[in-house]
C-alpha cells in the first residue's frame, strides 16, 4: 500500500495523508493534482507533496484519493519547495500559498466530481519579425559591464539608475544573453499598467520568446502561459507582476525586479502576505539564478544591503540622450492663502502659469494627487461631524459623479444624504480634494484642453487603462490627472510640466517609511517631466516648504534622505536594523479582543523578551468591515535566527488556542 502526503487549499497547518488506491499507483507522483475527500461531504483538488511506502501511526481513519485528473504533474518539486519557504517565512499555511499560486484552471474547488477543462484554442499572440537590440550609450554599456562583474561575485545586484537613464535597455540585453545560454528570465514589474507600455518594446526584440502573466489577462491566457512553461520548459522571458513568482520555471537564470522600491510588490490581503522583491530573491536562490534590482529611487532596505556588502551596487547617473534634469519649484500654499492669493482654488499662480505656457506650446501636463474621489471628507456645517462608514472607522469619500459616499476600505457606499445623520441639520460641506475635484476645476479653467483622469475609478479594467494612456501618448489629451498610477515609468515625449498637489498628505502618515515613500513618489512624478532637449518643470505645493525633505527633493539629494532615515531607524529600532512582524487580531467582540490581545502580548514577551514586543494597540483605523482591530508589533534583532523567532510565535499561538476566548479571534501575521 502507498500513501500520499497532499497539500489542501485550506488555511490549516501541514499536509494531509491519504491512501493511494491500487488503480492510481502508477499515476500518482509529487506535483500531481488529486481529488481528495475532506470531512463528510467535501471534495478538494489537492497537490501531492510526496508519495510514501509507509507512514507513522495515526488515530484517524485514512481516506483514499479519488482521481488523478492529469497525465503529468501540474507543479514542480521546486515550486512546492518555494511554497513551503513562503509559508514558513510569512507565517501562513502552505494551503494559503497554494490558493494564491495556481491559475484558474488548476484552482482548487469544493467539487463533487472533477471535471476536465475543455481544450481551448491558443490565445497567446504569435509574434511578427523581431528587431535588433538598440546600441547602448557609453554610460549604459559601462553599467551593463559592471552588473556582469557583480554577478561574478554576488547573486544580487542593485542598479540605481536615475529616471530616464534607460534601464530597460540594460534589462533587455541581459535577458537576451540568458536566452542564448538556454535559460529563462523573470522580469517583474510592480503593476499591470507598466506591462502595457513595456510589452511592445520587449516583444519587438524577443518575439515568441516573451510570455506575459498578470491578472489583467483572461483566465485562458494565464492558464496557457502556465502550461507552456510547464510542458515546453524552453528558454523564455516572462514579463509579469508579483503573481509571476509562482509560475513553473524549469531553468531560471535571471530575475529582474524593476521599480524594486514600489509598495505594490507587497501583498496585503489575503495570505500569503509576501513581498515580491524579497520572495524573488529566495526563488532565485533555489534556482541558482542572479537577481537584478532596479530603481531610480531604491528602497532604503536594498541600499543598506549594498552598504553592508550583501548586494552589489551599480549606478547609472546619466539620463538617456543627455536629457535635462527637471527644475523643481516648492510653493508655499499656506502663505498664499494667508495673503488671499489662493482661496479655494487648487492651483497656485506659478502652477497655473506653467500650465498656460505648456498648453500654448502644444506640450503636456501631469497633475498628481494621491487621493481619488471628489472630497475625502463630507461633514456637517452645524455639528462638524463627518459622515463615517458603518463598517469601518473611517470617513466616507464623496464621489460627485456617482453622487455617493464610498468607503475606500470595504467598498460600502450610500447616496449623499440631504441631512446630517448626527444632528439632522440640512447643510453639509466637503473638506479636502481628490482627483475628481481636480478634474472638475481643470475642465473649468481649460475648457478647450483635453483632460483625462487616471485612478482606480477611471481605469477599472485593462481596456480603460490602455485607452487613457494611449490617448495621452498620442496627444488626444493634454492634461493627465491621477493618483500614484501616473508616477510609474511611463515615457511621454511632450510632458514638460508636473504638478504635485497637497504634498503634505504624502508625509503626514503614521508609518516609519512615510518620508521615504514621499520622497520616492515625488521624485518619480518629477521624472515624468522633461525629455530629450526640453527641461521639465515640477511644481510641488505644500504647507510646510521649510521641511528638510523638500530641500532634498529640490536638489535630488537621495543620499541625504537615506542617511537621515537610517539614523532615525537605528535610534528607534526599525528596519533595516531590526525585523518587524505585525500581528493583526480582529473580532466582533471588543472586550474579548482586548483581553486576548493583552494575554498574547504578555506570552510573546515571555518568549521573545519584553523589549521585542510592542502593544497591543489600536491602529489608526481600529474597525474594519465590522471587526475591531488590534496590533501587536514584534521588533526582532537581526542577530536572532528567524526560524527560532517563528517557532516561538507558533508555540505561543498554539498555547493561546487552549483558551476558548482566543478561538473567537481572527489572527494573521504581516512579516516585514
Amino acid at each position: 500500500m502507498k500513501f500520499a502526503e497532499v497539500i489542501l487549499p485550506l488555511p490549516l497547518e501541514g499536509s494531509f495523508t491519504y491512501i493511494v488506491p491500487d488503480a492510481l499507483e502508477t499515476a500518482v507522483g509529487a506535483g500531481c493534482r488529486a481529488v481528495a475527500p475532506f470531512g463528510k461531504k467535501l471534495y478538494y483538488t489537492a497537490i501531492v507533496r510526496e508519495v510514501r511506502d509507509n507512514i507513522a501511526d495515526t488515530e484517524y481513519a485514512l481516506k483514499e484519493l479519488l482521481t488523478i485528473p492529469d497525465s503529468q504533474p501540474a507543479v514542480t518539486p521546486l515550486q512546492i519547495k518555494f511554497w513551503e519557504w513562503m509559508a514558513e517565512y510569512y507565517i501562513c499555511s502552505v494551503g494559503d500559498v497554494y490558493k494564491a499560486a495556481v491559475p484558474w484552471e488548476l484552482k482548487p474547488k469544493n467539487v463533487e466530481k472533477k471535471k476536465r477543462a475543455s481544450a481551448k484554442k491558443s490565445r497567446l499572440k504569435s509574434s511578427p519579425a523581431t528587431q535588433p537590440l538598440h546600441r547602448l550609450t557609453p554610460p549604459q554599456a559601462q553599467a551593463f559591464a559592471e552588473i556582469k562583474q557583480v554577478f561574478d561575485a554576488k547573486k544580487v545586484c542593485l542598479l540605481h539608475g536615475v529616471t530616464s537613464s534607460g534601464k530597460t535597455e540594460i534589462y533587455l540585453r541581459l535577458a537576451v544573453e540568458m536566452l542564448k545560454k538556454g535559460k529563462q528570465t523573470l522580469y517583474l514589474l510592480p503593476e499591470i499598467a507598466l506591462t502595457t507600455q513595456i510589452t511592445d518594446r520587449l516583444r519587438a526584440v524577443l518575439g515568441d520568446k516573451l510570455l506575459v502573466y498578470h491578472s489583467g489577462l483572461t483566465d485562458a491566457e494565464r492558464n496557457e502561459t502556465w502550461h507552456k512553461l510547464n510542458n515546453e520548459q524552453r528558454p523564455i522571458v516572462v514579463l509579469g507582476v508579483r503573481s509571476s513568482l509562482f509560475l513553473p520555471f524549469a531553468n531560471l537564470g535571471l530575475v529582474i525586479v524593476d521599480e524594486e522600491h514600489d509598495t505594490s510588490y507587497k501583498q496585503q490581503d489575503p495570505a500569503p502576505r509576501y513581498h515580491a522583491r524579497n520572495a524573488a530573491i529566495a526563488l532565485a536562490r533555489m534556482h541558482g539564478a542572479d537577481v537584478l534590482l532596479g530603481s531610480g529611487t531604491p528602497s532604503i532596505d536594498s541600499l543598506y544591503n549594498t552598504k553592508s556588502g550583501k548586494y552589489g551596487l551599480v549606478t547609472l547617473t546619466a539620463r538617456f540622450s543627455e536629457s535635462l534634469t527637471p527644475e523643481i519649484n516648492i510653493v508655499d500654499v499656506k502663505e498664499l492663502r494667508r495673503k488671499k492669493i489662493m482661496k479655494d482654488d487648487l492651483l497656485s499662480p506659478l502652477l497655473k502659469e506653467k500650465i498656460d505656457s505648456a498648453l500654448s506650446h502644444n506640450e503636456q501636463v501631469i497633475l498628481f494627487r494621491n487621493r481619488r474621489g471628489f472630497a475625502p471628507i463630507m461633514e456637517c456645517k452645524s455639528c462638524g461631524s463627518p459622515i463615517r462608514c458603518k463598517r469601518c472607522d473611517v470617513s466616507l469619500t464623496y464621489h460627485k459623479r456617482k453622487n455617493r459616499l464610498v468607503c475606500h476600505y470595504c467598498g460600502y457606499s450610500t447616496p449623499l444624504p440631504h441631512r446630517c445623520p448626527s444632528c439632522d441639520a440640512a447643510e453639509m460641506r466637503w473638506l479636502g480634494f481628490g482627483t475628481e475635484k481636480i478634474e472638475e476645476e481643470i475642465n473649468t479653467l481649460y475648457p478647450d484642453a483635453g483632460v483625462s483622469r487616471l485612478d482606480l475609478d477611471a481605469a477599472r479594467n485593462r481596456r480603460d487603462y490602455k485607452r487613457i494612456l494611449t490617448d495621452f501618448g498620442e496627444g488626444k489629451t493634454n492634461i493627465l490627472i491621477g493618483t500614484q498610477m501616473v508616477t510609474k515609468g511611463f515615457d511621454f515625449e511632450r510632458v514638460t510640466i508636473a504638478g504635485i498637489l497637497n504634498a503634505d498628505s504624502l508625509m503626514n502618515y503614521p508609518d516609519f517609511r512615510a518620508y521615504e515613500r514621499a520622497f520616492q513618489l515625488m521624485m518619480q512624478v518629477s521624472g515624468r517631466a522633461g525629455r530629450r532637449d526640453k527641461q521639465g518643470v515640477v511644481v510641488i505645493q505644500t504647507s510646510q516648504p521649510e521641511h528638510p525633505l523638500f530641500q532634498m527633493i529640490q536638489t535630488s539629494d537621495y543620499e541625504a534622505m537615506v542617511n537621515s532615515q537610517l539614523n532615525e531607524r537605528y535610534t528607534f529600532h526599525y528596519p533595516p536594523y531590526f525585523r518587524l512582524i505585525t500581528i493583526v487580531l480582529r473580532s466582533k467582540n471588543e472586550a474579548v479582543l482586548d483581553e486576548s490581545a493583552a494575554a498574547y502580548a504578555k506570552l510573546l514577551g515571555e518568549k521573545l523578551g519584553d523589549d521585542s514586543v510592542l502593544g497591543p494597540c489600536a491602529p489608526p483605523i481600529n474597525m474594519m468591515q465590522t471587526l475591531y482591530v488590534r496590533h501587536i508589533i514584534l521588533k526582532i534583532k537581526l542577530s536572532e535566527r528567524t526560524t527560532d523567532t517563528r517557532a516561538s510565535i507558533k508555540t505561543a499561538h498554539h498555547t493561546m488556542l487552549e483558551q476558548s476566548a482566543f478561538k473567537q479571534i481572527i489572527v494573521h501575521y504581516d512579516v516585514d
Side-chain angles (χ1 to χ4, degrees):
M1 184 179 292
K2 289 189 179 295
F3 303 89
E5 293 287 332
V6 306
I7 300 168
L8 290 173
L10 301 170
L12 301 173
E13 284 191 38
S15 55
F16 297 82
T17 304
Y18 286 83
I19 296 170
V20 179
D22 292 344
L24 298 181
E25 269 197 21
T26 56
V28 173
C32 286
R33 292 193 304 160
V35 177
F38 190 80
K40 291 183 178 179
K41 295 183 179 180
L42 301 179
Y43 299 84
Y44 288 106
T45 304
I47 295 291
V48 177
R49 184 176 172 274
E50 65 175 314
V51 179
R52 296 179 176 179
D53 292 324
N54 51 65
I55 58 167
D57 291 337
T58 175
E59 58 185 288
Y60 301 105
L62 298 183
K63 297 182 179 181
E64 290 189 348
L65 296 178
L66 299 183
T67 59
I68 304 296
D70 306 309
S71 59
Q72 65 180 57
V75 300
T76 68
L78 256 179
Q79 283 178 288
I80 295 176
K81 182 181 177 182
F82 181 55
W83 294 0
E84 291 174 337
W85 171 86
M86 188 170 277
E88 173 67 22
Y89 188 84
Y90 291 104
I91 315 180
C92 62
S93 75
V94 182
D96 286 324
V97 183
Y98 168 27
K99 284 201 293 185
V102 299
W104 168 79
E105 185 183 314
L106 304 178
K107 267 283 194 270
K109 295 178 182 177
N110 184 2
V111 292
E112 293 186 4
K113 295 180 180 178
K114 184 65 196 167
K115 298 177 181 179
R116 293 296 301 271
S118 59
K120 297 180 178 67
K121 188 178 179 181
S122 175
R123 298 167 190 262
L124 295 177
K125 296 176 182 177
S126 58
S127 175
T130 58
Q131 300 172 2
L133 288 163
H134 293 159
R135 183 184 297 275
L136 296 180
T137 65
Q140 287 174 327
Q142 181 178 343
F144 178 75
E146 290 176 2
I147 290 167
K148 294 176 70 174
Q149 288 175 359
V150 168
F151 284 152
D152 288 338
K154 301 178 188 293
K155 299 303 289 183
V156 183
C157 177
L158 173 64
L159 173 60
H160 182 185
V162 298
T163 305
S164 197
S165 58
K167 295 186 290 294
T168 304
E169 290 301 321
I170 295 175
Y171 301 154
L172 189 49
R173 194 164 290 257
L174 287 167
V176 168
E177 284 203 352
M178 280 294 151
L179 291 174
K180 291 177 180 176
K181 293 177 181 178
K183 295 197 171 185
Q184 298 168 332
T185 295
L186 172 59
Y187 186 149
L188 284 178
L189 291 164
E191 289 189 8
I192 297 171
L194 288 172
T195 67
T196 303
Q197 198 173 55
I198 291 178
T199 297
D200 292 341
R201 170 63 188 137
L202 266 59
R203 199 177 295 283
V205 174
L206 301 172
D208 60 5
K209 291 184 173 62
L210 177 71
L211 294 178
V212 181
Y213 192 84
H214 54 68
S215 60
L217 302 175
T218 65
D219 289 333
E221 287 170 327
R222 291 199 303 276
N223 292 336
E224 189 165 354
T225 296
W226 180 287
H227 288 304
K228 272 185 172 291
L229 278 168
N230 199 29
N231 298 335
E232 298 178 11
Q233 299 186 355
R234 61 190 174 100
I236 211 80
V237 176
V238 175
L239 176 69
V241 293
R242 61 178 184 251
S243 58
S244 305
L245 288 169
F246 297 115
L247 286 167
F249 295 102
N251 54 350
L252 192 61
L254 175 67
V255 179
I256 298 164
V257 185
D258 194 18
E259 307 291 349
E260 64 86 29
H261 67 278
D262 199 292
T263 55
S264 298
Y265 280 124
K266 180 69 170 70
Q267 163 78 3
Q268 300 298 334
D269 282 304
R273 295 171 177 84
Y274 64 100
H275 196 298
R277 178 193 62 219
N278 302 343
I281 293 171
L283 177 68
R285 188 184 306 121
M286 293 176 186
H287 283 268
D290 296 325
V291 180
L292 180 61
L293 310 177
S295 175
T297 53
S299 65
I300 288 177
D301 291 339
S302 293
L303 199 72
Y304 176 80
N305 283 330
T306 68
K307 292 176 181 291
S308 64
K310 189 175 180 180
Y311 301 168
L313 174 66
V314 174
T315 58
L316 182 58
T317 57
R319 286 165 67 104
F320 186 74
S321 296
E322 299 181 349
S323 52
L324 300 171
T325 302
E327 168 198 324
I328 298 178
N329 302 272
I330 310 296
V331 174
D332 185 353
V333 293
K334 184 173 68 175
E335 183 68 10
L336 291 173
R337 289 194 171 111
R338 187 185 69 81
K339 293 179 177 179
K340 298 185 179 178
I341 297 172
M342 282 182 73
K343 294 181 182 178
D344 294 331
D345 48 341
L346 307 180
L347 306 183
S348 63
L350 177 63
L351 184 51
K352 283 182 183 175
E353 175 194 321
K354 298 299 183 184
I355 294 173
D356 290 342
S357 175
L359 294 178
S360 68
H361 290 88
N362 197 31
E363 295 166 351
Q364 292 177 305
V365 178
I366 288 179
L367 298 177
F368 169 66
R369 168 74 169 117
N370 207 27
R371 175 80 72 162
R372 61 191 172 98
F374 191 86
I377 299 173
M378 183 66 69
E379 75 168 20
C380 173
K381 276 189 177 182
S382 178
C383 70
S385 297
I387 302 180
R388 307 182 75 81
C389 178
K390 293 182 177 180
R391 301 189 293 193
C392 306
D393 185 30
V394 292
S395 300
L396 295 176
T397 299
Y398 177 44
H399 288 249
K400 188 174 183 180
R401 187 165 294 178
K402 299 176 183 175
N403 197 35
R404 296 184 74 85
L405 295 169
V406 180
C407 176
H408 288 174
Y409 289 87
C410 73
Y412 168 80
S413 73
T414 182
L416 187 69
H418 298 294
R419 310 188 76 86
C420 173
S422 298
C423 72
D424 203 39
E427 289 189 275
M428 308 294 291
R429 65 183 174 189
W430 56 265
L431 298 176
F433 61 92
T435 50
E436 195 179 16
K437 168 63 177 170
I438 300 167
E439 182 184 29
E440 180 180 273
E441 181 154 324
I442 292 296
N443 273 318
T444 302
L445 289 171
Y446 303 102
D448 297 326
V451 179
S452 60
R453 176 163 53 92
L454 185 62
D455 57 27
L456 281 176
D457 299 311
R460 282 291 180 186
N461 53 53
R462 184 175 49 152
R463 183 172 57 255
D464 290 339
Y465 204 108
K466 190 169 185 178
R467 172 183 52 78
I468 293 167
L469 291 179
T470 300
D471 286 351
F472 192 64
E474 293 176 352
K476 294 177 183 177
T477 52
N478 307 106
I479 302 175
L480 180 63
I481 301 157
T483 56
Q484 62 179 330
M485 295 170 93
V486 303
T487 70
K488 309 306 179 184
F490 303 122
D491 186 357
F492 297 116
E493 293 288 335
R494 291 168 44 221
V495 174
T496 56
I497 307 297
I500 299 174
L501 283 63
N502 195 1
D504 309 277
S505 65
L506 299 173
M507 304 186 301
N508 302 336
Y509 196 76
D511 188 320
F512 74 95
R513 290 191 172 98
Y515 286 179
E516 174 189 2
R517 289 174 177 166
F519 182 94
Q520 290 165 340
L521 272 172
M522 285 189 261
M523 291 304 297
Q524 292 287 324
V525 174
S526 302
R528 309 282 73 81
R531 287 293 190 270
R532 312 298 184 256
D533 58 347
K534 176 79 174 182
Q535 184 180 29
V537 175
V538 181
V539 178
I540 300 176
Q541 298 186 171
T542 174
S543 297
Q544 41 185 337
E546 71 286 347
H547 195 288
L549 192 69
F550 290 117
Q551 314 311 314
M552 297 170 191
I553 290 168
Q554 200 161 24
T555 57
S556 300
D557 197 343
Y558 175 77
E559 283 294 324
M561 185 278 292
V562 169
N563 290 333
S564 69
Q565 289 300 295
L566 284 176
N567 288 336
E568 282 193 19
R569 295 184 192 183
Y570 181 81
T571 302
F572 296 105
H573 294 180
Y574 280 110
Y577 302 102
F578 279 70
R579 292 190 179 93
L580 281 190
I581 299 175
T582 300
I583 304 175
V584 181
L585 304 99
R586 295 173 291 162
S587 176
K588 286 184 177 292
N589 189 319
E590 189 172 20
V592 169
L593 177 64
D594 284 331
E595 181 182 345
S596 295
Y600 194 18
K602 182 180 178 182
L603 184 59
L604 287 166
E606 293 170 1
K607 292 185 175 297
L608 301 173
D610 290 335
D611 291 344
S612 299
V613 182
L614 301 180
C617 63
I621 300 171
N622 59 37
M623 188 178 186
M624 291 279 287
Q625 299 178 352
T626 72
L627 296 174
Y628 294 98
V629 185
R630 297 294 182 266
H631 286 176
I632 300 171
I633 297 175
L634 308 182
K635 289 186 174 181
I636 311 298
K637 295 176 182 177
L638 293 182
S639 58
E640 298 288 335
R641 285 164 47 95
T642 57
T643 51
D644 293 342
T645 300
R646 283 162 175 75
S648 297
I649 292 170
K650 288 182 179 179
T651 301
H653 190 125
H654 286 299
T655 301
M656 288 299 299
L657 285 173
E658 296 171 6
Q659 302 179 15
S660 58
F662 194 71
K663 293 176 182 177
Q664 301 177 43
I665 310 296
I666 301 168
V667 183
H668 77 252
Y669 299 86
D670 202 342
V671 179
D672 297 339

